Amino acid sequence: MKKILSLTLIAMFLFSFIPVNAQTSTNVCCLKNKNGEYCSYAKTENCELDNFDADNKIGIKKSDFACSQIGVCEPVCCINKEGTCSEKITAAQCIDQGGAATSQTECSAVPQCQKGACVINGQCEYPVTQEECTRARDKFDTETTFDTEVTSINECAEKYSLQEGCCVTTPSCGRKTSKECVDVSGEFKAGMLCSHPDLAGVCPGVKKESSKQCVKEDVYWFDSRGNKENAVGVNYDGFIHDAERDKTGKIGNCDFRTGTICGQDNNGENACIDVNCNVGDTFVSNGFVQYKFDDGTSAPERITTTLEDLGGRDARYNGESWCMTNTKNNPNTPGTIHYIYSCQLGKIQVSPLGVFRNTICESQTKDIQIEGKNVAFENAAKVENKWENCRQCGKGWENKCDAKECYKLGGSRNAEKSYCKFSGDGVDECWPKYPPGFDFIGGFAVDKVPSSKYSFENICNVCGAGGTNSCDRKECTALGDCGNFDEGLSVLEGAFIGGVAALAAYGLYQVGPVTAVKEIFTLGGYSAPVEVGSKISIEKIGTFIAKQAVASAITQAPFYLLGESDGKEVYQNKDGDTYYMSGKDAQGKDVFYIAEKQV
Amino acid sequence: MQKRSQITVFILLGIIIVAVIFAAVYFYGDTIQNFTRPSVLDASQLEPLKAYVVSCMEKSVTDDLKNLKKNSGYFNSISSTVEYSGYNVNALVDKSLISPNLMNSLTGIENSISLNVKNKIINCSLDSFDFEIRKDTENIQVNTEIKDSNIIVNLKYSLTVSKGSVSLNADEFSLIVEDDFGKIYRSVNDVVNSEINGDFDMNNYFLQNSEVTVTRAEGSNGFVYRIVSENEKNGFVFGVKK
C-alpha cells in the first residue's frame, strides 16, 4: 500500500512537469470571435486576433474578465461609417467597423441620428438620419434639406415636391410649387388656379384666361396677373390640369412629332402652328419693327411667305433649306449675294453668305420619307467658291483647255456640280460658275500689286486671255464684277463687216462717180494718200489742194509748218508765196506736192 | 577502288543530310520559326488574364453575398440564434443581452467581403497561362462598396507578365455585381432598430416601402424575418431573439 501511494505521488509529481496550456481550455471574453461576433465568451483560440481593431483604437482583443465588465462591450448608439445609426450595439463592434461610438445608449438622444426627410434636388428620402443627409450633400455636392418634422415619405413629397398650386401671399397670389411657396411663407392652395372663384377673396382681381402664351411647345392660358393656367382647350374648373391625359386632343396641346408647335398664327395669336412653311403663312420677323404712322406705334413686322420665298415651291418641310440670291441673275451680276433660306419651325430663316461670293450656296435634293410620304427634301449648305482653280485650265502640258479639265478643276467631272463652267463656243475657256465680286468702293489702282484675290486686277484683268485673246461681254461678266463692258465688235463680226465695207468701197471706187468717190477717199480718210487733188483744211489757216508733185522741195531752205491734218502737213516757204503739202502716197512713200490755197 | 567507294559513301551521306534538313524544314518549319522568332507581347494578350482574375473576384463576392444573406450578415452561425422549423437562424437582435444589437454595419460587411476577395485572389491560380507571371501579393488592396442595387469591388493587385524580353503590367481590376443587398440592408437596419426599441410595425413599413417586402414568422424563441426585393427572391434572413 505504501508502495502504491509512493508511486502515485511520484506520478503526480512527474505529471506536474508536463506543460499544460491553461489558456486553451479557458473561456475568455473575445472582443471579436472567429465567427465575427463581438464581446462573446469563447475559448482563447476562437478569438479573432488578426482581423480585429487593425488601427488599435480599442487596445485589447480579449480579456479574462467577464464581457459585462469591459467598457467597450457596453451598449452604445453607434454612428456607422455610412451615416446610419445602430442602437444598443457594443462599442467594440462600432469602433472595429469604422463607426463612431457615442456616449449615449439610445440613438434618439443623438442629434446626428435624428430621423427625418432628406430632400436632395427635389427628391425626398425618408427616413434617413441627419448624418446620412449630410453625407449625401457632401457626396453629390448639392444643397440638401433635412426636415425632422416630416413623418412620412408622402408628407415629404407633399411638402417638398414640385406639385403646383396657388401660393397666397400678401399682397399677391401666384402659381408656385409647394416648396417655392414654403420658401416665401405663403399659404399653399394645392392644385388650385389663382383665378379659382373660391380664391376671389384672397386673390382679388385675378381674371381667368386673359391671354394665350407659349409654354414649351404648348399653348397655355394665362390669367390677368400673368400666372400660367391650363392648356388652351382644357375645360376651366378652377384647378390645374397639367397631366398629359388632360391635354390630349386639346387645341393647345401642340405636338412636334405630328408637326405642330406653339407660335403666332396668321392672326398674330399664339396657337399650334404648322412647323412646315407654306405659301401664305405669316410670321413675325425677328429684329424688324414696323412703324404705324396712323397711331404712331411700332409693331414687329409681319412677313407673308411667298412662292418666291420658298424657292418656287408651295411648301417647305421643317428643317429644309434652299439657295437664293438677291439678283436672281445667272451668272451673278455685281452685288449678287447668295443666301441660305431655311424653314425653321414655321418661320423662314435667312442666312446671307459672303458679300464677294467668296462663299456661295449649293443645295442637294434627296427623296426621303416624312410621315409615310415620299418627299423631295432639299438641303442647302455654305461652300467656298473655288473660282480661282478654273483659271488653271489649259496650263498643262497640252496647253489646251477642254471641258473635262475645266469641270475637274471645279471639283467635279459633273458639269452641274463643278465650280467651273466651260465656254466651248470657239474660245475654249474655263470660267467660274459663280463669278466672284471685289471691293471696288474704295477704288483700285491698276499699277498696284493686288493684295487680295478679290481685287479688280485678279478678277478682271485676265479677261481676253483665252484662245482668241479677246475680251467680250460674256467673258467679262462670267469672270466677276468687272463693271459695264463697252463691247465693240467681236473679231469675227469686225472681220466680216470690214470685209464687206472694203468690197463695197472698192466697187464704188471702180464703178461709181469717180470724182465724188475719190473725194471721199482722199479728203475724208485719215490715211488717204497724197496725190494731185488731195484736199485738206487747217483750222484758221485755210484749205489747201495738192497741185503738182515736187521731188524734194521742202528739204531745202527754210519752210514753216502751217499745220497738220489727217496725216498731211502743209508748209509755206520763207517768202510766203508758195505752199507745199507733204504726206505719203498709195505705196507709203513720202511725197511732196505744191499746194494751192483756196480762197 | 577503295577510294572511289569512300567518295560514294560521302556523297550518299551528303544527300541524306540535305534530305533530312529539307524534311525538317518542310514539316516543322513553323515550329522552328516560332522558336527562333523574338517573343511579342501586347496588351490584348493580357485580356484573358484580367478576365480570369475578375472571375476569381466574382466567385468570391457572389459566394459571400449568398452566405451573408443566409447567415444574417455573418459568414457563419453565431451564438445568438432563433430556432425555426429545425433551423438555427442568426439573430441580429438578442433582447437577452445588454447590447442586443448584433447587426454588422454595412462598412463591416464591406470590409469582410474585401478581406475574402484578397484571400481568394492570392489562391487564384494563374498557372494555366503561358506567361511568366510575377505576383505582388504583399500589396493587395481591395475596396468594396455596397450600393442599393449593386456591389462595386476594386482590386489593386500588381501582376507583371513576361514573355521573352517583353513584360507588361496589369494592376487594377474592377467588378460590379448586380445585387439588391444594399437596398435590403437598409430595411434590415430599420427592422433591427425598431425591434430594439420595441416591436416592428410591419403594416406601416409596408405602406412606406414599396421596394422591399418584409415577412415575419414566429420561431421557438423569437421571430424570423425575411426581406426580399424584386431582384432578390431568396432574400435576407435574420432572427430577433426574445
Side-chain angles (χ1 to χ4, degrees):
Chain A
M1 187 62 192
K2 235 181 184 181
K3 202 174 179 179
I4 292 166
L5 190 66
S6 301
L7 282 170
T8 308
L9 284 171
I10 289 165
M12 284 176 70
F13 178 75
L14 287 173
F15 273 116
S16 69
F17 284 96
I18 294 171
V20 174
N21 190 350
Q23 285 180 317
T24 53
S25 56
T26 311
N27 274 349
V28 292
C29 176
C30 292
L31 268 68
K32 186 180 181 183
N33 69 17
K34 296 278 187 190
N35 287 338
E37 291 173 88
Y38 290 83
C39 295
S40 63
Y41 292 101
K43 295 193 186 306
T44 306
E45 64 267 27
N46 285 333
C47 291
E48 177 64 67
L49 304 177
D50 297 330
N51 295 311
F52 173 72
D53 192 25
D55 301 331
N56 205 27
K57 286 180 181 169
I58 298 168
I60 55 166
K61 296 189 177 184
K62 59 179 182 173
S63 173
D64 293 330
F65 291 101
C67 288
S68 57
Q69 291 178 297
I70 299 169
V72 289
C73 290
E74 292 285 313
V76 293
C77 169
C78 176
I79 303 169
N80 294 313
K81 201 175 177 183
E82 65 271 12
T84 57
C85 291
S86 296
E87 197 158 300
K88 293 178 185 169
I89 196 169
T90 62
Q93 181 172 3
C94 179
I95 296 165
D96 184 47
Q97 294 182 343
T102 64
S103 57
Q104 307 291 327
T105 309
E106 293 186 359
C107 291
S108 56
V110 178
Q112 294 97 315
C113 295
Q114 293 297 300
K115 288 263 179 120
C118 185
V119 187
I120 310 163
N121 291 331
Q123 296 283 316
C124 280
E125 280 212 30
Y126 178 88
V128 292
T129 63
Q130 189 176 355
E131 187 66 19
E132 279 180 288
C133 198
T134 307
R135 281 165 199 244
R137 182 196 65 198
D138 296 342
K139 187 176 179 183
F140 299 114
D141 193 21
T142 184
E143 282 296 312
T144 55
T145 306
F146 184 72
D147 192 340
T148 51
E149 290 177 8
V150 170
T151 55
S152 70
I153 187 84
N154 292 338
E155 198 179 321
C156 176
E158 197 174 315
K159 191 170 179 181
Y160 291 99
S161 78
L162 302 177
Q163 189 199 2
E164 292 183 311
C166 183
C167 183
V168 182
T169 54
T170 307
S172 64
C173 296
R175 179 168 168 169
K176 286 184 166 50
T177 63
S178 57
K179 185 181 183 305
E180 286 167 343
C181 195
V182 167
D183 291 346
V184 295
S185 307
E187 190 187 344
F188 187 65
K189 303 287 183 187
M192 288 173 89
L193 294 169
C194 292
S195 59
H196 192 289
D198 291 355
L199 299 179
V202 286
C203 301
V206 180
K207 289 178 187 166
K208 68 167 187 172
E209 299 183 346
S210 287
S211 63
K212 291 177 192 172
Q213 291 181 34
C214 292
V215 177
K216 293 180 184 171
E217 68 173 20
D218 296 334
V219 195
Y220 273 77
W221 283 113
F222 275 67
D223 68 23
S224 56
R225 294 284 170 86
N227 294 308
K228 190 180 98 169
E229 300 201 299
N230 293 323
V232 173
V234 174
N235 286 334
Y236 182 88
D237 61 359
F239 289 95
I240 294 171
H241 296 288
D242 262 355
E244 209 50 50
R245 63 176 180 278
D246 297 329
K247 296 192 289 182
T248 304
K250 302 296 186 286
I251 58 166
N253 185 27
C254 317
D255 188 356
F256 182 74
R257 289 169 301 178
T258 57
T260 60
I261 192 165
C262 182
Q264 287 194 329
D265 62 13
N266 293 351
N267 301 320
E269 261 200 348
N270 284 317
C272 287
I273 58 164
D274 191 353
V275 292
N276 302 320
C277 300
N278 303 291
V279 170
D281 285 353
T282 63
F283 60 91
V284 175
S285 175
N286 291 335
F288 290 95
V289 175
Q290 226 168 24
Y291 182 77
K292 293 178 185 171
F293 286 96
D294 298 343
D295 54 6
T297 57
S298 296
E301 185 178 346
R302 297 191 62 76
I303 293 172
T304 303
T305 306
T306 63
L307 190 71
E308 191 184 359
D309 291 333
L310 299 183
R313 291 202 199 169
D314 290 335
R316 290 281 186 175
Y317 285 92
N318 179 41
E320 205 176 351
S321 54
W322 58 101
C323 294
M324 297 284 273
T325 62
N326 53 345
T327 60
K328 316 280 185 304
N329 292 329
N330 195 14
N332 299 154
T333 47
T336 301
I337 295 174
H338 285 227
Y339 298 87
I340 295 177
Y341 275 44
S342 59
C343 176
Q344 304 281 342
L345 301 174
K347 288 184 182 182
I348 296 174
Q349 303 282 343
V350 179
S351 308
L353 304 182
V355 175
F356 304 126
R357 297 187 292 287
N358 47 339
T359 49
I360 49 165
C361 177
E362 289 210 327
S363 71
Q364 275 189 326
T365 303
K366 281 186 177 174
D367 285 338
I368 61 167
Q369 287 253 333
I370 295 179
E371 294 161 22
K373 285 189 290 182
N374 261 337
V375 296
F377 196 89
E378 194 170 355
N379 211 339
K382 180 175 89 171
V383 293
E384 193 188 343
N385 186 5
K386 296 173 184 167
W387 56 272
E388 282 175 298
N389 295 347
C390 310
R391 291 184 182 175
Q392 304 306 317
C393 193
K395 291 191 177 172
W397 62 279
E398 277 186 338
N399 203 22
K400 188 178 182 306
C401 177
D402 60 14
K404 199 174 162 187
E405 186 189 359
C406 179
Y407 297 143
K408 201 177 165 188
L409 284 167
S412 172
R413 291 175 196 280
N414 186 336
E416 280 189 11
K417 291 180 181 174
S418 177
Y419 293 99
C420 302
K421 69 172 182 183
F422 184 68
S423 175
D425 47 349
V427 289
D428 289 346
E429 286 179 348
C430 188
W431 298 332
K433 185 189 274 181
Y434 303 105
F438 61 87
D439 181 9
F440 50 82
I441 296 166
F444 51 84
V446 289
D447 56 339
K448 264 191 170 179
V449 177
S451 58
S452 156
K453 65 178 181 177
Y454 300 104
S455 66
F456 176 82
E457 294 80 14
N458 264 352
I459 291 169
C460 305
N461 274 4
V462 296
C463 187
T468 55
N469 200 24
S470 73
C471 180
D472 59 9
R473 180 186 294 278
K474 201 173 173 186
E475 183 183 357
C476 187
T477 310
L479 288 176
D481 293 352
C482 296
N484 293 321
F485 183 78
D486 187 10
E487 192 175 14
L489 297 174
S490 72
V491 173
L492 290 172
E493 286 167 347
F496 176 74
I497 293 168
V500 170
L503 282 171
Y506 183 74
L508 282 169
Y509 189 81
Q510 295 298 325
V511 299
V514 175
T515 316
V517 172
K518 281 188 179 174
E519 187 111 330
I520 289 165
F521 279 98
T522 52
L523 301 180
Y526 169 77
S527 57
V530 180
E531 54 191 9
V532 174
S534 297
K535 191 176 183 179
I536 61 166
S537 293
I538 296 171
E539 201 177 351
K540 294 180 182 174
I541 303 291
T543 302
F544 298 89
I545 300 171
K547 288 291 182 183
Q548 185 186 346
V550 291
S552 56
I554 59 171
T555 57
Q556 296 166 11
F559 289 87
Y560 300 102
L561 177 65
L562 293 179
E564 179 261 342
S565 177
D566 292 334
K568 300 177 183 71
E569 292 164 339
V570 176
Y571 296 88
Q572 188 179 30
N573 68 355
K574 190 183 175 184
D575 299 323
D577 55 2
T578 310
Y579 298 95
Y580 295 92
M581 187 186 292
S582 74
K584 292 189 185 294
D585 66 6
Q587 284 75 42
K589 286 181 182 176
D590 292 326
V591 291
F592 302 92
Y593 283 83
I594 294 171
E596 181 185 285
K597 185 179 181 183
Q598 289 188 329
V599 181
Chain B
M1 190 66 193
Q2 220 175 10
K3 215 174 186 176
R4 268 180 88 181
S5 64
Q6 262 186 344
I7 291 166
T8 311
V9 169
F10 284 133
I11 288 168
L12 283 171
L13 201 63
I15 290 167
I16 290 165
I17 289 167
V18 169
V20 167
I21 292 169
F22 180 79
V25 170
Y26 184 80
F27 292 110
Y28 301 104
D30 288 346
T31 315
I32 294 165
Q33 212 174 7
N34 285 342
F35 185 73
T36 53
R37 189 185 290 158
S39 299
V40 177
L41 190 63
D42 60 53
S44 65
Q45 288 175 273
L46 291 189
E47 290 308 315
L49 175 68
K50 285 183 177 176
Y52 181 72
V53 172
V54 171
S55 74
C56 286
M57 291 165 69
E58 189 169 13
K59 178 152 186 10
S60 173
V61 174
T62 48
D63 286 351
D64 283 357
L65 287 172
K66 198 174 166 187
N67 264 329
L68 287 164
K69 287 175 206 160
K70 194 173 72 177
N71 294 311
S72 322
Y74 287 86
F75 289 106
N76 301 298
S77 284
I78 57 173
S79 51
S80 294
T81 55
V82 173
E83 196 186 329
Y84 175 75
S85 194
Y87 293 100
N88 285 323
V89 178
N90 284 347
L92 294 187
V93 179
D94 187 342
K95 293 183 178 176
S96 65
L97 300 175
I98 303 168
S99 302
N101 191 341
L102 303 176
M103 184 180 176
N104 279 321
S105 72
L106 206 58
T107 310
I109 293 170
E110 287 170 348
N111 291 343
S112 302
I113 292 173
S114 296
L115 187 66
N116 285 351
V117 168
K118 187 177 174 181
N119 293 332
K120 182 87 179 175
I121 283 297
I122 291 169
N123 298 321
C124 181
S125 173
L126 305 176
D127 296 341
S128 58
F129 289 93
D130 185 26
F131 305 121
E132 186 187 323
I133 302 172
R134 200 169 61 246
K135 300 187 270 188
D136 181 8
T137 52
E138 295 296 312
N139 297 305
I140 295 176
Q141 287 179 36
V142 189
N143 180 268
T144 305
E145 198 178 347
I146 298 174
K147 293 180 174 290
D148 270 7
S149 299
N150 56 40
I151 290 109
I152 301 166
V153 186
N154 290 307
L155 166 69
K156 283 192 176 177
Y157 180 31
S158 180
L159 295 175
T160 308
V161 179
S162 306
K163 192 174 186 183
S165 58
V166 187
S167 67
L168 287 171
N169 205 45
D171 50 14
E172 288 193 354
F173 306 88
S174 190
L175 167 74
I176 298 174
V177 178
E178 298 298 325
D179 197 290
D180 282 354
F181 191 92
K183 194 185 288 177
I184 291 173
Y185 177 89
R186 279 171 169 276
S187 297
V188 175
N189 196 36
D190 291 339
V191 177
V192 167
N193 281 337
S194 299
E195 283 286 358
I196 282 169
N197 291 315
D199 286 331
F200 174 67
D201 184 349
M202 288 233 336
N203 292 332
N204 187 39
Y205 197 80
F206 173 76
L207 294 171
Q208 297 284 343
N209 294 275
S210 54
E211 290 192 318
V212 294
T213 306
V214 182
T215 53
R216 180 169 60 187
E218 195 163 355
S220 59
N221 56 343
F223 292 110
V224 172
Y225 284 90
R226 181 162 162 259
I227 300 179
V228 297
S229 71
E230 195 180 343
N231 300 320
E232 179 49 60
K233 300 296 178 197
N234 291 326
F236 189 103
V237 183
F238 66 97
V240 173
K241 194 176 172 186
K242 287 176 188 169

